[in-house]
Structure formats: C-alpha cells, structure tokens
Amino acid sequence: MTNLLQPGECIEALASLPAPFDRLAFVDVETTGTRPTRDRITEVAIIPVDNGVVGEPFQTLLDPGVAIPPTITRLTGISDDMVAGAPVFARLADEVRDLFDGRLLVAHNARFDAGFLRNAFREAGQVVTLRELCTVKLSRRLDRGERRHNLDSLIARHALPVGDRHRAMGDCQALPALLSRFVERDGLEVVLDALARQIKRASTPPNLDPTRLDEVPAVPGVYRFFGEEGALLYVGKSVNLRARVRSHFADDHRNDREMRIAQQTHDIDWIETAGEIGALLTEARLVKREQPIFNRRLRAQRGLLAWDWDDESAEPPALVRIDELAPSDLGRAHGVFRSRMKASERLRELAKEHRLCPQYLGLEQGAGRACFAHQIGQCGGLCAGRESEIAHRLRLKQALGPLALQAWPYPGAIAIREVRDGREERHLFRHWRYLGTARSEGELAELLEGGDEYPLDMDMYRLAVDAIRGGAKVEPVE
C-alpha cells in the first residue's frame, strides 16, 4: 500500500483550523457487513492530524471472529485467510482509544464508522465518547449543485490522491486531502461554518439536509422517511414530531434497523394532527396503504380468524373469518388468530385449563362415547353424561370471556373528537369500522354516506376501543 501522507508532513490548509477542529483523527473501517451490532470490523485505519501536522498513522487487520462473506471479499480483497492470526479489537482497544483522545473523528459517512467503533469498544468492555465530523455531510453542504457525494465521485471531482480503494488506509488517505481542498477552494470561514453546523447537529443522517430537521414542528402527527428516488422507508407517529424524529437518529449505532434507516434517509415529511388518536389512525392507515420498507407492525391484515360463539346457544364455537362477520355479530367473536392451527391451539389450552370437553369443542373425534380427556380426568364429563350442558356452557363462557371482542355499544356512528390550537378533527366509527377523519361538516356528511362497506380492521378496532376506554370525547353523529 502506498503511504501518500507521511508522519510529520504539514498540510498547510489544515494548519489554520481553530479548536476544536485543530485536532482530527481521520478514520476508515472495513467490515463484514453493514449492521454495526451484528457485523464486525475487519480492518481499521486512523490518521491523526494535529494543527495540520500528520501524526503516526495506525493501520491493522482485525480478526472479526466470524466468516467474511464472499461479496465483502470481492469488494475489499480482505479474506478469511488474511485475517487469520490478526488481533481481535479488544487487544488494541486502548491504543485505538488513545488516538481519539481529544480529537474529532472524521470519516466518510461518519455515523457508519463511529457506529462500528462504538460497538467494538462496548464489546471490549469500554464506553468511549466519539465526536464525529462527516465528509459526506460536508460535501453535501459545500457542493450543493452536485448529485453524488460518494467517495469515488469526490476522488474524481477533486482529484484526490488515494491508495488501495476499499481498503481502510487507502480510503482514509483521501479524507485529509478532501478537507484541504475545501479550505483552499471555499475559504476557511465557509468550511468552519459548515463544520460548526455538524457539531450542533451531530445526529443528522448523512444524506439528509439538516434544515429539514429544523422545520419539523413539535406537534402531534405522523412522519415519513424517504430513501433515494423517493422510496418510502418508514412511517411513524408521535405527540411531538420534532422530538421523535430526532430520536431516530440519536441512537442508530445501538440498533440495526435505526442505523439502516439513518443511512438510507434522504428526505422526510410529516402530517400534523389534532391529537394522539389522529396520529395513531393516520399511521395505521398509511402503513397499510403504502407498505413502508422498515415497518413491521400495522401491516395489512388478511384472513384473520376468531371463534364465533353465542353463549345463549347449545352450539359449540365455530371458527370464522373476522371480516365476514356481520357488524351486529362482532360481540360473539372471541380472540384474533392468524391461522387455524393457532386458533385450535388456544382453544385446546382453554379446554385443558377449564376442564372443557374437547369432543364437544370439535377438537377430538368420537361422538357417543367419553372423550380421552375425561378418561384422564381433564374433562368435566359432558361427553359421558356426568355434567349438564348448562354447567359446561358456563365454564366455556368463563374460558372465552377474556378473549371476547367488544360489541358495538352505540345506536349509530360516532365521532371521537380531538381539538388542538383551533384544529378540530372528528374520527368517525360505525360498528368499530373506521370511516375516516372529518375536519369540516362537508367531510363529515361525505364519510357518513359510506355505509358499512368499510372493512373491519383489527388495528383500528383496538385504537377505537382504547380511546373510548381512555376517556376520549365521543359524540353521536347519526
């Protein structure tokens, strides 16, 4: 590998940087993947530069303790054979920590490198504070007219010297030269202003314009994160949009998903609501409709099942699709299950717990003779004529009671009303079906004309039940 920077060499453009930018540690790491809490570092390079003078560069391969994927080997050239016998990070943790003492970590996409280093220190039993400067953010601010800010583009655009590409020291060598080019081209004051903004906004994702975070209001609502080319990454809600959005980017090195969201976020937008209920409903609706990449909860639900049972009837429970139940029959539904197997398993557990007859419940064949559960003392004896149907039905009611869905308690549609700072929203429900949110009398009338063709969505059902039980203001609208 070619050492383009030599210890003791003075980089004149960086010699004039004042504190805290006068002591820098330029960093690059190669890894087994992109997830800092699961993947591992295979190589690290650090070039300390104090008052413009290059210190002794640090570079080493590391034993990651896991196999290196072939795709990573093809990209970096680092193989399992190369790291065999290399030190583990814990052996070098003290030496690496000393290089960051009093220095700002400077890296291309610094959140990535710092995330891996923090987790490597944590596994070594050390907690290290790393203050970051990101050259991707710097390039985005100073080269606003350019679309691409990856390292290959910057190397070509600014004619940067570089060693072995995709190796830690080769990539690291380009970073002091990049910072120097910016100072020489734009002037010290412009670069200092850009660097100072990063210190203030240390939790901004590398591809997101920091001013977007400043624009997010501190009100209830829903936010969306978009990736490159407008791909929808994530939908979330909060009673304080500004605090919640910022919290996503403050802890991404501890959580794989947050890290990946932060790395891929290029833009954000938001929808204000009058309160928390409106935010919850809007989030659920958008997630089901738009299917964001990183949302797991609130996905569209199809074919959910429930046990349909009338406690006034001698008939056993029947497994039905929830969305096929008539609105007036919802109060007879018990439990919500994703499969017949899960529904049967739960009913079998209840039968055993309450000494119910599995033969009566359809869980066991053999009508006309005592069931096996009765033979081993786990059935009260309905099948053997030792228990009345009424007594068995009372125990079944006790067993299924906690699973019962709530019957619709109103004669017609209702509105759950929220008001904030002059903004009024009425969330309409009929038979637990969410009709929509009205912000005017015209919208209210239009939504009410929709009838009962709206599907029953269990997430919306739970939100409405929780809101009403929690004391939300409910108004009849029909």
Side-chain angles (χ1 to χ4, degrees):
M1 178 176 293
T2 303
N3 284 324
L4 304 178
L5 288 174
Q6 301 297 325
E9 179 180 344
C10 181
I11 306 175
E12 293 185 8
L14 305 186
S16 56
L17 291 174
F21 310 109
D22 55 340
R23 302 193 69 218
L24 306 172
F26 295 89
V27 178
D28 188 78
V29 299
E30 302 299 333
T31 66
T32 61
T34 61
R35 301 163 299 184
T37 58
R38 295 174 60 182
D39 295 309
R40 297 293 180 266
I41 299 174
T42 58
E43 187 178 35
V44 60
I46 305 171
I47 302 175
V49 177
D50 297 335
N51 298 303
V53 178
V54 178
E56 188 67 38
F58 175 91
Q59 177 199 1
T60 184
L61 289 167
L62 293 170
D63 180 357
V66 296
I68 300 175
T71 53
I72 298 296
T73 297
R74 287 194 293 270
L75 176 67
T76 66
I78 301 174
S79 65
D80 290 328
D81 290 340
M82 290 175 62
V83 299
V88 297
F89 184 87
R91 280 181 49 194
L92 304 174
D94 290 341
E95 185 177 356
V96 175
R97 183 192 61 208
D98 290 343
L99 289 168
F100 292 119
D101 187 21
R103 294 188 177 96
L104 296 174
L105 181 154
V106 186
H108 203 67
N109 202 345
R111 190 162 288 276
F112 177 89
D113 298 75
F116 271 93
L117 286 166
R118 285 190 182 98
N119 280 285
F121 277 117
R122 189 177 296 112
E123 289 187 351
Q126 300 187 27
V127 178
V128 177
T129 300
L130 300 174
R131 295 186 300 160
E132 309 159 20
L133 290 176
C134 179
T135 50
V136 175
K137 294 181 184 180
L138 186 64
S139 177
R140 283 188 167 278
R141 184 160 193 86
L142 298 180
D143 282 347
R144 291 178 180 271
E146 301 289 346
R147 287 191 59 194
R148 298 189 179 277
H149 301 273
N150 58 61
L151 194 54
D152 283 327
S153 298
L154 296 183
I155 289 170
R157 188 152 67 235
H158 298 283
L160 302 177
V162 66
D164 294 341
R165 186 70 179 93
H166 297 299
R167 289 296 299 273
M169 185 56 76
D171 292 349
C172 190
Q173 291 270 3
L175 302 183
L178 176 63
L179 183 55
S180 177
R181 293 283 197 277
F182 281 135
V183 173
E184 293 168 349
R185 188 194 69 183
D186 299 324
L188 182 61
E189 293 303 319
V190 171
V191 174
L192 283 177
D193 178 69
L195 293 176
R197 289 174 181 270
Q198 279 199 42
I199 294 294
K200 293 178 182 178
R201 300 184 176 94
S203 60
T204 306
N207 297 305
L208 180 65
D209 184 346
T211 60
R212 290 295 284 164
L213 287 180
D214 293 338
E215 296 169 0
V216 181
V219 299
V222 171
Y223 57 92
R224 297 186 292 184
F225 295 158
F226 296 92
E228 202 165 8
E229 306 298 332
L232 181 59
L233 302 177
Y234 185 77
V235 174
K237 55 80 187 169
S238 179
V239 294
N240 186 327
L241 286 172
R242 177 177 296 170
R244 183 69 187 98
V245 168
R246 289 179 178 274
S247 73
H248 271 280
F249 308 131
D251 199 36
D252 57 276
H253 61 277
R254 292 180 181 270
N255 181 291
D256 286 336
R257 189 183 69 157
E258 298 286 6
M259 178 73 168
R260 301 204 307 271
I261 291 174
Q263 295 297 316
Q264 297 180 38
T265 297
H266 285 244
D267 195 14
I268 59 177
D269 72 3
W270 53 90
I271 301 169
E272 295 185 30
T273 63
E276 183 178 16
I277 299 171
L280 287 164
L281 293 168
T282 304
E283 177 196 33
R285 176 173 56 82
L286 290 177
V287 169
K288 294 172 191 297
R289 186 182 72 190
E290 301 182 8
Q291 298 285 294
I293 295 170
F294 287 101
N295 284 88
R296 291 293 178 265
R297 288 175 53 256
L298 302 175
R299 292 281 191 172
Q301 301 169 344
R302 297 180 179 87
L304 293 178
L305 304 170
W307 288 109
D308 180 16
W309 183 61
D310 181 358
D311 61 9
E312 298 295 329
S313 168
E315 295 297 317
L319 196 59
V320 299
R321 285 174 55 119
I322 290 178
D323 54 11
E324 293 177 354
L325 282 172
S328 58
D329 292 339
L330 187 62
R332 300 188 339 201
H334 297 77
V336 178
F337 306 97
R338 295 187 179 277
S339 69
R340 286 185 169 272
M341 183 179 70
K342 293 292 185 184
S344 295
E345 285 178 355
R346 185 67 180 118
L347 189 59
R348 198 177 299 276
E349 291 170 359
L350 292 173
K352 185 176 181 180
E353 181 182 346
H354 294 268
R355 301 183 69 245
L356 300 170
C357 181
Q359 194 177 103
Y360 167 81
L361 296 175
L363 299 173
E364 181 182 313
Q365 300 298 319
R369 57 184 173 84
C371 70
F372 178 73
H374 177 63
Q375 298 174 37
I376 61 175
Q378 293 182 356
C379 165
L382 177 66
C383 53
R386 302 209 174 167
E387 179 182 37
S388 69
E389 187 272 331
I390 293 294
H392 186 274
R393 192 193 313 170
L394 288 174
R395 288 210 317 283
L396 179 57
K397 184 174 182 178
Q398 182 183 20
L400 290 177
L403 301 183
L405 301 186
Q406 186 166 327
W408 180 248
Y410 305 101
I414 57 100
I416 300 175
R417 184 169 174 265
E418 288 186 297
V419 180
R420 174 187 61 81
D421 297 335
R423 176 190 293 265
E424 180 180 82
E425 293 178 345
R426 284 179 284 180
H427 314 298
L428 270 63
F429 286 85
R430 185 192 286 120
H431 298 296
W432 299 120
R433 286 148 168 84
Y434 175 55
L435 310 185
T437 295
R439 297 171 182 83
S440 68
E441 292 300 324
E443 289 183 357
L444 180 67
E446 185 177 341
L447 291 172
L448 289 173
E449 290 175 0
D452 279 326
E453 71 271 16
Y454 296 91
L456 176 63
D457 183 289
M458 293 311 297
D459 290 314
M460 300 302 193
Y461 160 82
R462 293 187 185 100
L463 289 174
V465 170
D466 289 345
I468 293 169
R469 286 177 177 171
K473 185 172 183 180
V474 177
E475 302 173 344
V477 291
E478 286 182 327

